[in-house]
Every structure is written in C-alpha cells, then in structure tokens.
Amino acid sequence: MYLQTDDQTIEDLRIFGKRNGSGVFDLYNKVHTRGGESLLKEMFRAPLSDQELINARSSIIRHFAGNKTPFPFSASIFDMAEKYLRSAGETRMQGNDKAVLSEKEIANGVAGIIEMMQLCRAFIESETVKQVEAYRQERESIAMILSDSVFDPVHKEILRTKLSYAAVAAYDVLFRVREQAKVNRLMTHIYYLDVLLSVAAIANEKHFIFPKALEKEPATLLLEGVYHPELEAPVANELTLSNNRNFIFLTGANMAGKSTFLRSVSVAMFLAHMGFPVAAKKMEFSVMDGIYTTINLPDNLGIGASHFYAEVLRVKQVAAELGKGRSMFVVFDELFRGTNVKDAHEASVAVSLSFSKKKNSLFIISSHIIEAGEELKQLNNIGFLFLPTRMNGSMPEYTYRIENGITDDRHGMIIIRNEGILEILEKGKKHLLRDHSLASGE
C-alpha cells in the first residue's frame, strides 16, 4: 500500500527543508490547521503504491482544484477548537478533573466546535462536493458522525450567539468527555480535507498537472515538460521509459544540469505516488513498489566507510530489493565516483547491465565515463541521453535541455582557467619567493 523509500532519498530530493532553505514539503504546505500540517508531513513520509488509492486521491484534488473549492473554516475557529480539545488529553495526563482552560477558553472552544460542525455539514451537503465520486466514502464517514443523534442540539444552535453557562457546561461534557472519540475522528477528517483543498489550491496557483497512475507492470514512465517545482525559471524536459527501454545512461559536463534533471524526474515520481499534482505538462507512470535515489551520498565516517564503500553499500541495498522481485525506480548520480576511473568504469558497466535486466523496474544512471556508455550499447533496452554544453568563445553555456546520445563534454579545466585559479596560485608562489629573498637578504 505504501511506497518503499528511505531517508537517503528524502534527503536527496530535499523533501523537507533545512535551516538554509525550504523543501518540496514547504511548497505544498499551505494548510490552515496544525493537524493538517502534521498529516501532510505523514503523507510525505508515506507515499502510496496502490494504483486505485493514488488515482482516487488525485481525482479528489483535481475536482477541488477545478471548482476552486475554498477551505470552509476560518483559522481562528481551529485555533480555539484544537487548543480546547488538546486540553482534554492534558487533563487526563494530570490524573484529575481540574480544567487546564479558563472559563472563557472553554466557552470559546465549545463555540468553535459548534461552528465547525455546522460548517462541515453544510460543506459535505453542497452539490459540488457531492459530485466528487472519489470523495464519497470520506463524505459519508463525516456525515455519519455529524448525523449522530447526540449532536442534534449542535445543529440547532444559532451561530455567534452567546451560550448560557449551563449550555457551555453541557457541551463541554459532550465534546471533551462523552463523545470525545467522535469529535476527534471528525477533526481527523477535516485535517485530511485541509490537506486536499490546500494542495488543490497549489495546483491552481502553480499550474501543476495531475499524473495518471497505471498498473505496476509493464514498467512505464511518460513525462512531458517536467521541471523542478522549486525553480523560478525552470527549463522543462521530456522523458519516456518502458520495459523496452527501462534504463537511461545520462552524460553531461559538470554544471550542465544532470543533478537538477534527476531531481526533477525523481520529485515528480515521488509526488505522483502521493496522488499530488506535479510540475509537468503531462505524466503517466506505472506504480512502483519503491523509489531509491543516490544523488548526494555522504561518507559514513561513523563506521569508517569511504565514499566508494558507501556507494557499494547503497548499490547492495538496491540490489537486495530488486532481488525480491520488487518494481523499483532507481536513480544514481555519478555512480562509483568514489574510486579510480578504471574501477568505476568496470563497476558501472557490470552493475548497469545487471540492473537493466530487471524489466519491471526503471533506472537512470548518470556518469562522466563515456566509455562505459559505449559498452552498454550492446543492449537495446538502454537509452542514452545527455545535457549539452555550447562554447561561447572560452565560456561554456548550458541549454539544460535533454538530447539523445552520449557527450564527451568536459569543461572542468576551462572553468578553472576562467576563474583564474592557476594565476592566483602562481602569484602566491611569486610572493612567497620574494618574501623569502627579502628575509634572507639576497
């Protein structure tokens, strides 16, 4: 039911931001409630691997986006309601009946719950919501809670009318004691609604599209106009993978955009398995059992592992999953960069040939070792793409657009010369010699 992934992939794709920047989660995190934010984070931690569930969630969000359905509750209602309901748990933890809220906070919390229930009922009974077939089960679950006879008095209250002390006390017992479980279940449904409506709003704001999830086999990925959702001026690209071409060997010079392309495709696959809209013009994909990427693999100094050994362990981890017959989407950026060219060449070819035989999985491997690419041409299910560099005099320029084939572009020394690094070192050497001469009196 859930897509298999790991912390390395989450880190590679920058799903969650760090102190020095935001992540993909932050881009989609426009929810109105604390509970909605917690649920959204859980969903990012557990993408789906079920075609029906993915398409159902996507369908709900697409309908809400098409109707531009707003979140029917104000943030202030939820601030009061959440604080009020949290206090019930705090009271139990203290082991006594002493309220941790003031009378005013209890009155505000009760009023918030009443308004929330009435607005929720109006929302699920609206025609636009009833038309969303994929939301029917969720809507019926909400309706069942709200239609419970214990809540009949709630629906008869006139909103924004001050309740008597006796009424507040009675509702307080109802919400926080007798029917607390039902109220909490309702809140959970509303948190989910918060996520769906917020993601729908992002889809409209960013002009994202809704992918179509296909059956697990045959392995398929069709991407048109894909780009990284966090880029302000992105360059879109195309990519097609299938069981007839399930492996891509990607080449290109440093700074040509390989890592960005790999992240763009991988983030799209990750979000698509959540049923979320993605940054592309069109996307169809067969549902995978897991996604594993290796774009920014750190050394494991804690166990004394070199970068190369860390790469080997990562390949072993992926191989173990493939060996179980699972369908995987696998990305390696600069495979075996932690060893010498000869070993990297031999290992890249051997591993790539073995990977490519797993026709129920999809692979993208980038490399600077173009000779490895030439050897891989022996198999017809391996495709070759590159990101080109155009020279404008002595300055390299990058199109960031994928092309077919293999490139031998290498512009490391050109960049080093353009930055004047050798001149800086030479100048420093002359200064040292001059200072030495002066000090020795020569």
Side-chain angles (χ1 to χ4, degrees):
M1 179 179 175
Y2 293 110
L3 183 76
Q4 185 173 338
T5 188
D6 64 356
D7 289 339
Q8 175 64 46
T9 301
I10 297 290
E11 181 77 14
D12 279 341
L13 304 186
R14 299 169 185 165
I15 297 299
F16 299 105
K18 294 187 175 181
R19 292 179 183 178
N20 59 346
S22 60
V24 177
F25 169 81
D26 299 291
L27 182 67
Y28 285 80
N29 182 21
K30 306 300 179 186
V31 295
H32 304 79
T33 65
R34 294 184 184 89
E37 182 174 12
S38 296
L39 179 57
L40 180 63
K41 189 168 291 187
E42 290 176 17
M43 291 165 70
F44 267 95
R45 286 287 183 187
L48 304 170
S49 64
D50 181 283
Q51 179 193 11
E52 186 176 341
L53 293 177
I54 291 170
N55 283 333
R57 182 185 289 173
S58 179
S59 175
I60 297 169
I61 299 172
R62 184 171 63 249
H63 276 88
F64 284 155
N67 292 322
K68 297 183 178 180
T69 308
F71 189 59
F73 314 98
S74 69
S76 60
I77 292 176
F78 265 88
D79 285 341
M80 293 187 296
E82 287 180 315
K83 181 178 180 180
Y84 169 73
L85 292 174
R86 278 201 310 273
S87 70
E90 293 169 359
T91 300
R92 285 197 306 274
M93 289 175 63
Q94 292 179 4
N96 56 53
D97 296 327
K98 183 179 178 181
V100 296
L101 297 177
S102 67
E103 289 184 6
K104 182 178 180 181
E105 288 172 325
I106 292 175
N108 287 338
V110 166
I113 296 294
I114 291 172
E115 185 169 354
M116 182 189 70
M117 286 187 165
Q118 290 193 12
L119 291 175
C120 191
R121 186 181 217 180
F123 177 83
I124 64 169
E125 290 180 353
S126 66
E127 289 303 318
T128 54
V129 174
K130 287 181 178 180
Q131 292 171 5
V132 185
E133 178 59 29
Y135 192 65
R136 179 174 57 82
Q137 184 174 348
E138 186 77 7
R139 187 175 63 81
E140 289 177 350
S141 296
I142 295 172
M144 184 175 296
I145 296 172
L146 293 175
S147 62
D148 193 309
S149 59
V150 298
F151 296 127
D152 285 347
V154 171
H155 302 298
K156 297 175 182 178
E157 292 289 349
I158 300 175
L159 294 182
R160 311 298 168 88
T161 300
K162 186 175 181 180
L163 297 169
S164 67
Y165 179 84
V168 169
Y171 279 126
D172 186 35
V173 172
L174 178 68
F175 296 150
R176 291 203 294 172
V177 181
R178 286 173 47 202
E179 304 298 340
Q180 184 193 1
K182 292 175 184 175
V183 174
N184 286 338
R185 284 207 308 275
L186 178 62
M187 293 291 284
T188 300
H189 287 297
I190 294 176
Y191 292 147
Y192 184 49
L193 177 63
D194 186 13
V195 170
L196 298 176
L197 293 174
S198 299
V199 174
I202 292 297
N204 286 332
E205 177 188 337
K206 302 290 185 179
H207 305 291
F208 291 166
I209 59 94
F210 292 89
K212 179 181 180 181
L214 308 174
E215 294 180 356
K216 283 186 180 289
E217 294 187 31
T220 302
L221 174 60
L222 169 65
L223 275 167
E224 295 180 6
V226 65
Y227 59 94
H228 198 284
E230 292 186 281
L231 294 179
E232 293 184 4
V235 176
N237 276 294
E238 325 297 318
L239 178 67
T240 302
L241 288 165
S242 67
N243 61 345
N244 293 322
R245 193 182 83 150
N246 69 318
F247 190 107
I248 293 295
F249 186 81
L250 176 67
T251 53
N254 288 326
M255 301 173 63
K258 297 193 301 298
S259 296
T260 298
F261 173 73
L262 294 176
R263 281 195 177 93
S264 300
V265 173
S266 301
V267 167
M269 279 290 278
F270 190 96
L271 292 169
H273 279 81
M274 294 176 65
F276 278 18
V278 303
K281 289 184 178 179
K282 181 179 180 180
M283 181 175 183
E284 294 182 358
F285 68 102
S286 57
V287 175
M288 298 280 112
D289 292 319
I291 291 180
Y292 282 94
T293 69
T294 307
I295 297 174
N296 186 29
L297 184 66
D299 300 343
N300 195 336
L301 300 178
I303 61 172
S306 66
H307 187 85
F308 174 66
Y309 190 57
E311 289 182 297
V312 171
L313 293 178
R314 187 64 171 167
V315 172
K316 181 180 178 180
Q317 181 183 12
V318 171
E321 297 303 324
L322 294 170
K324 297 173 184 176
R326 291 174 178 159
S327 58
M328 308 293 291
F329 178 75
V330 178
V331 169
F332 277 94
D333 189 15
E334 300 295 344
L335 186 61
F336 298 126
R337 73 177 79 176
T339 189
N340 63 73
V341 175
K342 183 177 184 299
D343 281 346
H345 179 172
E346 294 178 358
S348 295
V349 171
V351 169
S352 296
L353 290 175
S354 295
F355 277 173
S356 66
K357 295 175 183 177
K358 304 296 183 180
K359 295 296 185 70
N360 67 332
S361 296
L362 303 174
F363 306 87
I364 308 178
I365 308 296
S366 77
S367 178
H368 279 304
I369 306 174
I370 60 173
E371 296 79 9
E374 295 299 330
E375 287 191 50
L376 293 175
K377 287 182 178 179
Q378 62 184 281
L379 295 182
N380 58 14
N381 66 308
I382 297 181
F384 300 90
L385 299 175
F386 73 95
L387 283 152
T389 306
R390 312 291 186 222
M391 294 304 299
N392 184 1
S394 62
M395 296 298 295
E397 295 180 347
Y398 310 105
T399 68
Y400 306 114
R401 292 194 182 278
I402 287 290
E403 296 185 19
N404 289 309
I406 299 176
T407 181
D408 60 357
D409 290 341
R410 292 187 177 96
H411 299 110
M413 283 305 300
I414 293 175
I415 295 171
I416 288 172
R417 291 192 183 97
N418 287 344
E419 293 298 321
I421 293 174
L422 300 180
E423 288 81 356
I424 293 171
L425 292 172
E426 186 64 28
K427 187 181 295 184
K429 179 181 178 182
K430 290 178 179 178
H431 279 306
L432 286 173
L433 290 173
R434 185 187 65 189
D435 293 344
H436 176 73
S437 298
L438 291 174
S440 61
E442 295 179 2

